[in-house]
Amino acid sequence: MAMKASVKGKFDAGGKSTGVGSLAFNAGDLKLRATMTDATFVAGPTLNGLSLAVEKPGFFMVEYNVPKKDVRFQFMNTVRIAEKPLNLTYIHSRGDNRTIVDGSLSIDPANKLSANYMVGTNNCKLKYTYAHGGIATFEPCYDLAKNAWDFSVSRKVYGGDMLKATYQTSSKLLGMEWSRNSKYTGSFKVCASVNLAEEVKQPKLTAETTWNLEM
């Protein structure tokens, strides 16, 4: 039985840090995963921040939040519309009785349409993704609940690094992100954001790194 372990740490400029660790086992077609946060160990081993999941990739996932005694169901399916793949995801959280439907339609390798809708509300986001030459990606997103647009532009640099800029028109939040993903050294992400609506525009900085181990 193959096992994969990952540890993710997040730090901000104010000195606050958080951590998440996970262990995943492959059992035939199924994947078993346990996820823990730093709250699981701060006061000695506890159930705080612990969740257990069973997943069949591409088909379903059932996740159980141990301290909250809450179950989240996720089902995935792919259908074809005019010979184009439409990926559908159905997510239901029993605790807060919330259901989300997510879908993405690949028109061609460069163009994709996606939608995210929370059933029973007006929370719906529509997004168009355009990938240019496998190097740059442009994503405008319309939020129906806020009646506002969000924009993001990302570009590969230095071979494997990624630079991404985002802007939320409703909150006037401007963000920049630099990330790198390597199967040998893990991945990291450095983010900076500033609220252009504030009189004193104080940037917020965060750094996130992930280490992966296969056994």
Side-chain angles (χ1 to χ4, degrees), residues 95-139:
D96 53 13
N97 194 27
R98 182 177 63 181
T99 301
I100 296 174
V101 179
D102 189 273
S104 63
L105 177 65
S106 297
I107 301 173
D108 55 43
N111 297 275
K112 183 171 69 174
L113 297 174
S114 57
N116 181 279
Y117 173 60
M118 185 182 297
V119 177
T121 72
N122 63 347
N123 291 336
C124 182
K125 293 183 179 181
L126 305 174
K127 183 169 66 174
Y128 167 67
T129 302
Y130 170 67
H132 180 71
I135 299 176
T137 303
F138 176 65
E139 292 182 319

Side-chain angles (χ1 to χ4, degrees), residues 5-11 16-23 34-39 41 180-181 186-189 207-213:
S6 69
V7 178
K8 178 185 292 184
K10 187 175 182 180
F11 317 88
K16 182 181 179 181
S17 62
T18 58
V20 177
S22 68
L23 291 173
T35 303
M36 298 146 283
T37 69
D38 48 1
F41 302 100
R180 175 181 294 173
N181 191 5
S187 63
F188 73 85
K189 182 167 61 177
E208 183 179 298
T209 183
T210 303
W211 298 272
N212 298 309
L213 177 65

Side-chain angles (χ1 to χ4, degrees), residues 151 164-169 171-177 191-197 201-204:
F151 299 93
K164 183 177 182 179
T166 61
Y167 181 64
Q168 300 175 7
T169 59
S171 60
K172 299 186 184 301
L173 187 66
L174 177 66
M176 293 292 296
E177 177 183 302
C191 303
S193 63
V194 60
N195 193 326
L196 300 180
K201 297 175 175 57
Q202 183 69 33
K204 295 181 180 180

